[in-house]
Amino acid sequence: MSAVPYLALISAVAALILAGYYYKAVEAAPPGNDRMVFLMNEIQKGARAFLRQEYTWVSIFVLVMLVLIGVVITPLASISYVIGAVLSATAGYAGMTVATMANARTTEAAKEGPSKALPVAFRGGAVMGFAVAGLALLGLMLVYLIFVVWTESDDAFEIVTAYGLGASSIALFSRVGGGIYTKAADVGADLVGKVEAGIPEDDPRNPATIADNVGDNVGDVAGMGADLFESYAGSIIAPVSVTAFALGITAEAADQDIALQLLMFPMAIAFVGMIASIIGSFLVRGGDSTDSKALSKALHMGTNVAMAITAVATVGVAYLMFNDADLFPEEAPYGLALSVIGGLVVGWALGKTAEYYTSDHFGPVKKIAAQSETGPATTVLSGISAGMISVAASVILVLIGVGVAYWGGAQTLGDELVFDGVPIELGGIYGIAVAAIGMLATTGVVVSVDAYGPIADNAGGIAEMAELDPSVREVTDALDSLGNTTAAVAKGFAVGSAALTALALFKSFEFAIAEASDGEEILNLNVGDVEVFIGLFLGAGLPFLFAALTIDAVGRAANSMIEEVRRQFREIPGLREGKEGVVPDSARCVQISTEASLREMIVPGALAVVVPLVVGFVSIDALGGLLAGALVTGFALAIFMANAGGAWDNAKKYIEAGAHGGKGSEPHKAAVVGDTVGDPFKDTSGPSMNILLKVMTIVSLVFASAFV
C-alpha cells in the first residue's frame, strides 16, 4: 500500500518520457516552405516574449504569497507553494513552445490530407497534455513523499495543500492574462478585417493576424495547460486534505489503517489514469475524410479507450484497498469505485453536453446560424439562450454525479467512519472528492485533445498567410472546427471537476477550522445568520464582478487593437489592397496585446486571493457563505459562457462552410458579431471562472489556521 506514491511517481516520469517522444516526432516533421517557417517563428517569438513578461509580473505576486505563507503558516509550506507555481509555469511554457512548432508542420502535412495533419496536431498537443499531467503528478508525489513520508514534517498536510495553491496562482493569471491577450487580438482582427475591410480570416494584410495566432498559444495552450495542471493537482489534493483534516492526523499517523487507504486511493487512481492515458494516446489516427464526425471519432478514440481502461482498473484498485471487512462495510470494494467511475462518466457526459451545444452537427448551433438571417441581435439572443439551456443540463448531470459519489462513499466508509474510537462523518464527502479525480484521471490525453485545437487553428492561419492552395485551408478548417468542440469538451471537464473539487476543499476547510481551534470553532452555514447571509450574497456576486472585469479588459484591449489596425490600413499605402511588397506592422499589434493583457490581469487575479483572505480574518462564517455562494453562481456562469461562446464560434464557421449564403453574406456578418461577443465568454471569463472557485477555496483552506 505504501508503494502507491512511488508507482504514481514512476507513471509521472513515464508521461514526461512520452512527452519527449512526441516532441521528437513533431520536430522531425517537415515545417514547409520559407514563408511558413517565417510565420511559425514570428508566432513563437511573440508567444515566448509574452510568457516571459507574464511570468515576470506573476513572480512578484508569487514572492508576496511566498512570504505571507512562510510567516503565517510555515516556511516549508512556502517551498511547496513555489514548487507548484514553478512546475505549472514550466508545463505551460513547454507546451506553448511545442505548439508553435507544430502549427506550420500541421499545415505542411495538410497538403496530404487529414490523415497526415491530424496526427501531427495531436502529437503537438500531446506534448502539452503529458507535460501537464506528468509534472503535476511528479511534483505532488515528491512533495508528499518529502514532507509526509520521509521527513514527517509538522503541518505536513498544510504543506501539501500549499502545492495546489501555487499551481492555482499560475493558472489564474495565465488564464486571465492569456485570455485577454488572445481575445483582444481576435476581436480586433475580426471586426476590422472581416466586417469592415471584408477580407478573409487570417489574411496576411491584417496587422492583427500574427497577434491573433500568438494569442491562440498563450491563451488556449499555455493558459489552458496551467488551468488543467491546477485542476488535476487539486483533484488529487482534495481527497488527501479532506482525509487528513477530517481524521485530524499528522504525518506520523499517515500510515495507520484506514488513514493509509484513504490517502493512497486517489494516488492509485491517478496512477492507473496516467497509464491508461499513455496507452490511449497511441490510438489516435487520422482518416482521409474531412467530415467532422469522422475526425471527431479518430481524435477521441484515445480518450474513450483511456476512460474505459481507467474504469476497469478502478474496480480492481478499490477491491484491493477496501476489501478488509474489519475496517470497512461489506460493500466496501465497490462503493468508492462507483464514486470514481461516476465522476468519470459525468465528466464525459458534461463534455458530450458541451459538444451538443457547440457543434455544428446539432440543433443549437444550426439554430443560431439560422437566426443570423435576421441580423446580429437575434444571433446574440439565440446564443445566450443556448448557453443558458446548457447550464440546466450540466447542473442536472453534476447533481447526479454528486448523488452517486456521495452514495458510493457512504457504502464504502459508512455513514460514520470510526477512527481512533471517534465517529467521523466522512464517507459521502470523500466519495465526492474522489469523483473529481475520476473526472480528471485521464488528464494527459484530455489535454492532448484540447491543445490540438489551437495548433489546428494556427495551421489554418499559416495556410492563409502563406497563400497556399485552398484545398490545404479546407483541411485545416475541418481540423479547426473540431478543435472548437474539443475545447468546449475540455472546459466541461475542467468546470465539472472544479465544482466537485471546490466542494471537497470546502469541506476540508470546515474540518481544518475545527482542528485548528481544537473543536472550539465550528463553521456555521445557517443562512439565517446575518454573517453567513452577507457572505452568501457577496460570494454570489463575486463571479459576476470577476466576469465583468475580464470582459471589460478584453473590450479595452480590443479597442486599442482596432484603432491600430484601422491606422495601419489608413496610413500604410497599398496594405488594404494587398500590393506586393507591402507588409503590416504585426509587431506593434503583438506589443499592444501584450501590454494590455498584463496590465488588465492584475485586478481580477488579485481579487480571487484578497477577498477570501480579508473576509476570513473578519468572520469565518461569512467566508463559509462566500465560498458557497461563489461555487453555485460561478459554476453556472462558467458553463453558460463557455458553451454560448463555443456555439457562436461554430455557427460562424457553419456559415463560412456554405450555409445561409456563406462567407461575405449578411448572415455571415451577423455571425461574426455573435462570435465576437462570444470570444471573451469562451476564452477569457468562462475558463477563468473555475480557477476562481478553486483559488478562493484553497486559499481559505491553506490559511484556515490563521483565521481562528
Side-chain angles (χ1 to χ4, degrees), residues 291-316:
D291 177 70
S292 59
K293 285 187 176 179
L295 290 172
S296 179
K297 182 179 179 181
L299 187 61
H300 286 106
M301 176 62 72
T303 305
N304 295 335
V305 170
M307 291 175 64
I309 293 172
T310 301
V312 173
T314 295
V315 175

PDB file of all heavy atoms in Angstrom, residues 291-316:
ATOM      1  N   ASP A 291     -14.828  15.142 -42.917  1.00  0.00           N
ATOM      2  CA  ASP A 291     -16.081  15.208 -42.168  1.00  0.00           C
ATOM      3  C   ASP A 291     -15.786  15.269 -40.674  1.00  0.00           C
ATOM      4  O   ASP A 291     -14.994  14.475 -40.158  1.00  0.00           O
ATOM      5  CB  ASP A 291     -16.949  13.985 -42.487  1.00  0.00           C
ATOM      6  CG  ASP A 291     -18.239  13.970 -41.676  1.00  0.00           C
ATOM      7  OD1 ASP A 291     -19.112  14.813 -41.940  1.00  0.00           O
ATOM      8  OD2 ASP A 291     -18.347  13.124 -40.773  1.00  0.00           O
ATOM      9  N   SER A 292     -16.429  16.205 -39.984  1.00  0.00           N
ATOM     10  CA  SER A 292     -16.103  16.434 -38.576  1.00  0.00           C
ATOM     11  C   SER A 292     -16.433  15.236 -37.696  1.00  0.00           C
ATOM     12  O   SER A 292     -15.770  14.993 -36.688  1.00  0.00           O
ATOM     13  CB  SER A 292     -16.811  17.689 -38.056  1.00  0.00           C
ATOM     14  OG  SER A 292     -18.193  17.581 -38.176  1.00  0.00           O
ATOM     15  N   LYS A 293     -17.460  14.466 -38.065  1.00  0.00           N
ATOM     16  CA  LYS A 293     -17.793  13.279 -37.275  1.00  0.00           C
ATOM     17  C   LYS A 293     -16.680  12.239 -37.356  1.00  0.00           C
ATOM     18  O   LYS A 293     -16.312  11.635 -36.345  1.00  0.00           O
ATOM     19  CB  LYS A 293     -19.121  12.684 -37.756  1.00  0.00           C
ATOM     20  CG  LYS A 293     -20.354  13.465 -37.319  1.00  0.00           C
ATOM     21  CD  LYS A 293     -21.630  12.721 -37.674  1.00  0.00           C
ATOM     22  CE  LYS A 293     -22.856  13.467 -37.155  1.00  0.00           C
ATOM     23  NZ  LYS A 293     -24.128  12.764 -37.502  1.00  0.00           N
ATOM     24  N   ALA A 294     -16.154  12.042 -38.567  1.00  0.00           N
ATOM     25  CA  ALA A 294     -15.064  11.083 -38.739  1.00  0.00           C
ATOM     26  C   ALA A 294     -13.809  11.556 -38.008  1.00  0.00           C
ATOM     27  O   ALA A 294     -13.113  10.770 -37.354  1.00  0.00           O
ATOM     28  CB  ALA A 294     -14.771  10.900 -40.227  1.00  0.00           C
ATOM     29  N   LEU A 295     -13.515  12.850 -38.114  1.00  0.00           N
ATOM     30  CA  LEU A 295     -12.349  13.400 -37.421  1.00  0.00           C
ATOM     31  C   LEU A 295     -12.514  13.309 -35.909  1.00  0.00           C
ATOM     32  O   LEU A 295     -11.576  12.991 -35.185  1.00  0.00           O
ATOM     33  CB  LEU A 295     -12.137  14.860 -37.840  1.00  0.00           C
ATOM     34  CG  LEU A 295     -11.660  15.100 -39.274  1.00  0.00           C
ATOM     35  CD1 LEU A 295     -11.682  16.585 -39.594  1.00  0.00           C
ATOM     36  CD2 LEU A 295     -10.261  14.536 -39.491  1.00  0.00           C
ATOM     37  N   SER A 296     -13.730  13.582 -35.446  1.00  0.00           N
ATOM     38  CA  SER A 296     -14.006  13.518 -34.014  1.00  0.00           C
ATOM     39  C   SER A 296     -13.816  12.107 -33.485  1.00  0.00           C
ATOM     40  O   SER A 296     -13.232  11.908 -32.412  1.00  0.00           O
ATOM     41  CB  SER A 296     -15.429  14.002 -33.730  1.00  0.00           C
ATOM     42  OG  SER A 296     -15.725  13.936 -32.356  1.00  0.00           O
ATOM     43  N   LYS A 297     -14.296  11.128 -34.241  1.00  0.00           N
ATOM     44  CA  LYS A 297     -14.143   9.734 -33.834  1.00  0.00           C
ATOM     45  C   LYS A 297     -12.673   9.357 -33.731  1.00  0.00           C
ATOM     46  O   LYS A 297     -12.250   8.710 -32.767  1.00  0.00           O
ATOM     47  CB  LYS A 297     -14.867   8.822 -34.821  1.00  0.00           C
ATOM     48  CG  LYS A 297     -14.813   7.340 -34.443  1.00  0.00           C
ATOM     49  CD  LYS A 297     -15.560   6.493 -35.446  1.00  0.00           C
ATOM     50  CE  LYS A 297     -15.480   5.010 -35.072  1.00  0.00           C
ATOM     51  NZ  LYS A 297     -16.199   4.156 -36.072  1.00  0.00           N
ATOM     52  N   ALA A 298     -11.890   9.787 -34.715  1.00  0.00           N
ATOM     53  CA  ALA A 298     -10.458   9.470 -34.719  1.00  0.00           C
ATOM     54  C   ALA A 298      -9.740  10.137 -33.551  1.00  0.00           C
ATOM     55  O   ALA A 298      -8.920   9.519 -32.873  1.00  0.00           O
ATOM     56  CB  ALA A 298      -9.838   9.915 -36.045  1.00  0.00           C
ATOM     57  N   LEU A 299     -10.082  11.413 -33.311  1.00  0.00           N
ATOM     58  CA  LEU A 299      -9.391  12.173 -32.271  1.00  0.00           C
ATOM     59  C   LEU A 299      -9.757  11.692 -30.877  1.00  0.00           C
ATOM     60  O   LEU A 299      -8.903  11.647 -29.983  1.00  0.00           O
ATOM     61  CB  LEU A 299      -9.723  13.660 -32.412  1.00  0.00           C
ATOM     62  CG  LEU A 299      -8.944  14.629 -31.506  1.00  0.00           C
ATOM     63  CD1 LEU A 299      -7.450  14.538 -31.787  1.00  0.00           C
ATOM     64  CD2 LEU A 299      -9.424  16.064 -31.730  1.00  0.00           C
ATOM     65  N   HIS A 300     -11.015  11.321 -30.685  1.00  0.00           N
ATOM     66  CA  HIS A 300     -11.478  10.939 -29.350  1.00  0.00           C
ATOM     67  C   HIS A 300     -11.277   9.462 -29.039  1.00  0.00           C
ATOM     68  O   HIS A 300     -11.610   9.013 -27.935  1.00  0.00           O
ATOM     69  CB  HIS A 300     -12.957  11.295 -29.178  1.00  0.00           C
ATOM     70  CG  HIS A 300     -13.189  12.762 -29.009  1.00  0.00           C
ATOM     71  ND1 HIS A 300     -13.719  13.551 -29.995  1.00  0.00           N
ATOM     72  CD2 HIS A 300     -12.936  13.595 -27.981  1.00  0.00           C
ATOM     73  CE1 HIS A 300     -13.811  14.795 -29.574  1.00  0.00           C
ATOM     74  NE2 HIS A 300     -13.331  14.851 -28.370  1.00  0.00           N
ATOM     75  N   MET A 301     -10.761   8.685 -30.008  1.00  0.00           N
ATOM     76  CA  MET A 301     -10.539   7.267 -29.762  1.00  0.00           C
ATOM     77  C   MET A 301      -9.636   7.057 -28.549  1.00  0.00           C
ATOM     78  O   MET A 301      -9.906   6.222 -27.682  1.00  0.00           O
ATOM     79  CB  MET A 301      -9.911   6.617 -30.999  1.00  0.00           C
ATOM     80  CG  MET A 301      -9.555   5.140 -30.809  1.00  0.00           C
ATOM     81  SD  MET A 301     -11.002   4.097 -30.478  1.00  0.00           S
ATOM     82  CE  MET A 301     -11.748   4.114 -32.115  1.00  0.00           C
ATOM     83  N   GLY A 302      -8.560   7.825 -28.467  1.00  0.00           N
ATOM     84  CA  GLY A 302      -7.626   7.691 -27.357  1.00  0.00           C
ATOM     85  C   GLY A 302      -8.278   7.992 -26.020  1.00  0.00           C
ATOM     86  O   GLY A 302      -8.075   7.271 -25.033  1.00  0.00           O
ATOM     87  N   THR A 303      -9.087   9.069 -25.973  1.00  0.00           N
ATOM     88  CA  THR A 303      -9.762   9.442 -24.730  1.00  0.00           C
ATOM     89  C   THR A 303     -10.739   8.366 -24.288  1.00  0.00           C
ATOM     90  O   THR A 303     -10.788   7.996 -23.107  1.00  0.00           O
ATOM     91  CB  THR A 303     -10.511  10.779 -24.911  1.00  0.00           C
ATOM     92  OG1 THR A 303      -9.601  11.777 -25.384  1.00  0.00           O
ATOM     93  CG2 THR A 303     -11.119  11.237 -23.601  1.00  0.00           C
ATOM     94  N   ASN A 304     -11.523   7.856 -25.235  1.00  0.00           N
ATOM     95  CA  ASN A 304     -12.524   6.845 -24.905  1.00  0.00           C
ATOM     96  C   ASN A 304     -11.889   5.560 -24.382  1.00  0.00           C
ATOM     97  O   ASN A 304     -12.358   4.973 -23.398  1.00  0.00           O
ATOM     98  CB  ASN A 304     -13.395   6.549 -26.127  1.00  0.00           C
ATOM     99  CG  ASN A 304     -14.238   7.745 -26.554  1.00  0.00           C
ATOM    100  OD1 ASN A 304     -14.546   8.621 -25.741  1.00  0.00           O
ATOM    101  ND2 ASN A 304     -14.602   7.803 -27.824  1.00  0.00           N
ATOM    102  N   VAL A 305     -10.811   5.131 -25.025  1.00  0.00           N
ATOM    103  CA  VAL A 305     -10.115   3.923 -24.570  1.00  0.00           C
ATOM    104  C   VAL A 305      -9.491   4.146 -23.194  1.00  0.00           C
ATOM    105  O   VAL A 305      -9.571   3.292 -22.306  1.00  0.00           O
ATOM    106  CB  VAL A 305      -9.042   3.501 -25.597  1.00  0.00           C
ATOM    107  CG1 VAL A 305      -8.146   2.397 -25.010  1.00  0.00           C
ATOM    108  CG2 VAL A 305      -9.702   3.018 -26.879  1.00  0.00           C
ATOM    109  N   ALA A 306      -8.884   5.311 -22.999  1.00  0.00           N
ATOM    110  CA  ALA A 306      -8.267   5.624 -21.705  1.00  0.00           C
ATOM    111  C   ALA A 306      -9.300   5.622 -20.589  1.00  0.00           C
ATOM    112  O   ALA A 306      -9.042   5.117 -19.489  1.00  0.00           O
ATOM    113  CB  ALA A 306      -7.569   6.986 -21.778  1.00  0.00           C
ATOM    114  N   MET A 307     -10.469   6.175 -20.864  1.00  0.00           N
ATOM    115  CA  MET A 307     -11.529   6.200 -19.857  1.00  0.00           C
ATOM    116  C   MET A 307     -12.006   4.789 -19.533  1.00  0.00           C
ATOM    117  O   MET A 307     -12.250   4.457 -18.368  1.00  0.00           O
ATOM    118  CB  MET A 307     -12.695   7.066 -20.334  1.00  0.00           C
ATOM    119  CG  MET A 307     -12.367   8.558 -20.391  1.00  0.00           C
ATOM    120  SD  MET A 307     -13.716   9.549 -21.106  1.00  0.00           S
ATOM    121  CE  MET A 307     -14.990   9.298 -19.912  1.00  0.00           C
ATOM    122  N   ALA A 308     -12.141   3.953 -20.551  1.00  0.00           N
ATOM    123  CA  ALA A 308     -12.590   2.572 -20.337  1.00  0.00           C
ATOM    124  C   ALA A 308     -11.576   1.795 -19.498  1.00  0.00           C
ATOM    125  O   ALA A 308     -11.950   1.074 -18.551  1.00  0.00           O
ATOM    126  CB  ALA A 308     -12.812   1.881 -21.681  1.00  0.00           C
ATOM    127  N   ILE A 309     -10.300   1.942 -19.813  1.00  0.00           N
ATOM    128  CA  ILE A 309      -9.253   1.263 -19.037  1.00  0.00           C
ATOM    129  C   ILE A 309      -9.267   1.744 -17.588  1.00  0.00           C
ATOM    130  O   ILE A 309      -9.152   0.954 -16.651  1.00  0.00           O
ATOM    131  CB  ILE A 309      -7.870   1.500 -19.674  1.00  0.00           C
ATOM    132  CG1 ILE A 309      -7.784   0.812 -21.043  1.00  0.00           C
ATOM    133  CG2 ILE A 309      -6.757   0.979 -18.758  1.00  0.00           C
ATOM    134  CD1 ILE A 309      -6.516   1.149 -21.815  1.00  0.00           C
ATOM    135  N   THR A 310      -9.403   3.059 -17.405  1.00  0.00           N
ATOM    136  CA  THR A 310      -9.420   3.629 -16.061  1.00  0.00           C
ATOM    137  C   THR A 310     -10.589   3.082 -15.240  1.00  0.00           C
ATOM    138  O   THR A 310     -10.443   2.757 -14.054  1.00  0.00           O
ATOM    139  CB  THR A 310      -9.499   5.164 -16.124  1.00  0.00           C
ATOM    140  OG1 THR A 310      -8.375   5.667 -16.859  1.00  0.00           O
ATOM    141  CG2 THR A 310      -9.493   5.777 -14.731  1.00  0.00           C
ATOM    142  N   ALA A 311     -11.756   2.986 -15.872  1.00  0.00           N
ATOM    143  CA  ALA A 311     -12.947   2.489 -15.171  1.00  0.00           C
ATOM    144  C   ALA A 311     -12.743   1.055 -14.690  1.00  0.00           C
ATOM    145  O   ALA A 311     -13.050   0.716 -13.539  1.00  0.00           O
ATOM    146  CB  ALA A 311     -14.164   2.580 -16.088  1.00  0.00           C
ATOM    147  N   VAL A 312     -12.216   0.203 -15.571  1.00  0.00           N
ATOM    148  CA  VAL A 312     -11.991  -1.197 -15.210  1.00  0.00           C
ATOM    149  C   VAL A 312     -10.927  -1.304 -14.113  1.00  0.00           C
ATOM    150  O   VAL A 312     -11.094  -2.030 -13.127  1.00  0.00           O
ATOM    151  CB  VAL A 312     -11.572  -2.010 -16.453  1.00  0.00           C
ATOM    152  CG1 VAL A 312     -11.173  -3.424 -16.046  1.00  0.00           C
ATOM    153  CG2 VAL A 312     -12.713  -2.054 -17.467  1.00  0.00           C
ATOM    154  N   ALA A 313      -9.843  -0.570 -14.277  1.00  0.00           N
ATOM    155  CA  ALA A 313      -8.747  -0.624 -13.300  1.00  0.00           C
ATOM    156  C   ALA A 313      -9.186  -0.100 -11.936  1.00  0.00           C
ATOM    157  O   ALA A 313      -8.730  -0.582 -10.897  1.00  0.00           O
ATOM    158  CB  ALA A 313      -7.552   0.183 -13.810  1.00  0.00           C
ATOM    159  N   THR A 314     -10.085   0.894 -11.934  1.00  0.00           N
ATOM    160  CA  THR A 314     -10.571   1.460 -10.675  1.00  0.00           C
ATOM    161  C   THR A 314     -11.281   0.414  -9.824  1.00  0.00           C
ATOM    162  O   THR A 314     -11.127   0.390  -8.593  1.00  0.00           O
ATOM    163  CB  THR A 314     -11.519   2.645 -10.957  1.00  0.00           C
ATOM    164  OG1 THR A 314     -10.785   3.695 -11.589  1.00  0.00           O
ATOM    165  CG2 THR A 314     -12.135   3.175  -9.670  1.00  0.00           C
ATOM    166  N   VAL A 315     -12.039  -0.441 -10.471  1.00  0.00           N
ATOM    167  CA  VAL A 315     -12.734  -1.516  -9.739  1.00  0.00           C
ATOM    168  C   VAL A 315     -11.713  -2.407  -9.042  1.00  0.00           C
ATOM    169  O   VAL A 315     -11.868  -2.763  -7.865  1.00  0.00           O
ATOM    170  CB  VAL A 315     -13.630  -2.331 -10.690  1.00  0.00           C
ATOM    171  CG1 VAL A 315     -14.256  -3.514  -9.941  1.00  0.00           C
ATOM    172  CG2 VAL A 315     -14.719  -1.459 -11.293  1.00  0.00           C
ATOM    173  N   GLY A 316     -10.658  -2.769  -9.760  1.00  0.00           N
ATOM    174  CA  GLY A 316      -9.624  -3.610  -9.172  1.00  0.00           C
ATOM    175  C   GLY A 316      -8.894  -2.926  -8.031  1.00  0.00           C
ATOM    176  O   GLY A 316      -8.639  -3.528  -6.982  1.00  0.00           O
TER     177      GLY A 316
END
